Amino acid sequence: MTLRSARDRALQSLLYEAGGLCLSVPLYMAWAEFGAGQSLGLLVALSLAVLLWSGLFSTAFDWAEHRLTDRLSSDRPWGWRLLHAVLLEATSILVTLPLLVLLGGLGWAEALVADLALTLLYATWAWVFHLAYDRFHPLTESTE
């Protein structure tokens, strides 16, 4: 099986995050009426929090799935993949919501609206970005 190299995966992740910030920072600035530096700092903090949470959550989910089904995560059927994605996004909101309140100076209701909007923005961006990345940077048999 051909997989992306660690270098390629790192490039993909960096481009994804950079593009996500380029999309989200101006929108957040307009919505929250924050300056560029404050908006960028907050959204970088949210990205880092989700990055850390994603690794922890996915490890726990993989472990639980293996205990329940004796199946490896790489063999996960689409229904379990959908469950994983939905639960990851739902629990990510629980991680980022307090950050939006504490660092963003928002009330809980405003923070929830912002968090849901950012979640939808990033989910859409993920679909567009990964489709484009795969088209413009396809795997070949020689990719390690």
Side-chain angles (χ1 to χ4, degrees), residues 2 4-6 10 16 24-27 30 40 45 64 69 75 90-91 96 101 110 115 121 130 135 138 144:
T2 301
R4 295 197 182 278
S5 68
Y16 170 77
S24 62
V25 169
L27 292 172
L40 179 62
T69 66
D75 298 328
T91 57
T96 54
V101 171
E110 287 176 309
D115 216 343
L121 175 69
H130 289 99
R135 297 246 177 171
E144 295 179 31

Side-chain angles (χ1 to χ4, degrees), residues 120-143:
L120 289 174
L121 175 69
Y122 269 85
T124 303
W125 169 239
W127 185 81
V128 170
F129 172 82
H130 289 99
L131 180 64
Y133 192 87
D134 287 343
R135 297 246 177 171
F136 292 110
H137 195 65
L139 289 171
T140 62
E141 289 299 320
S142 63
T143 304

Side-chain angles (χ1 to χ4, degrees), residues 2-39:
T2 301
L3 297 174
R4 295 197 182 278
S5 68
R7 181 176 176 221
D8 188 27
R9 186 65 70 192
L11 175 65
Q12 183 184 37
S13 296
L14 288 172
L15 290 172
Y16 170 77
E17 289 299 330
L21 289 171
C22 288
L23 289 171
S24 62
V25 169
L27 292 172
Y28 191 81
M29 284 173 50
W31 180 79
E33 298 178 1
F34 282 180
Q38 188 178 8
S39 295

Side-chain angles (χ1 to χ4, degrees), residues 20-89:
L21 289 171
C22 288
L23 289 171
S24 62
V25 169
L27 292 172
Y28 191 81
M29 284 173 50
W31 180 79
E33 298 178 1
F34 282 180
Q38 188 178 8
S39 295
L40 179 62
L42 174 61
L43 291 168
V44 166
L46 294 176
S47 292
L48 290 172
V50 171
L51 183 65
L52 292 171
W53 176 245
S54 179
L56 293 171
F57 176 85
S58 294
T59 299
F61 190 93
D62 292 353
W63 179 84
E65 178 184 14
H66 188 265
R67 296 277 298 184
L68 291 171
T69 66
D70 200 35
R71 176 178 51 232
L72 297 175
S73 61
S74 59
D75 298 328
R76 181 176 294 153
W78 75 269
W80 278 79
R81 290 188 182 280
L82 180 60
L83 178 65
H84 175 264
V86 168
L87 290 177
L88 176 60
E89 291 303 323

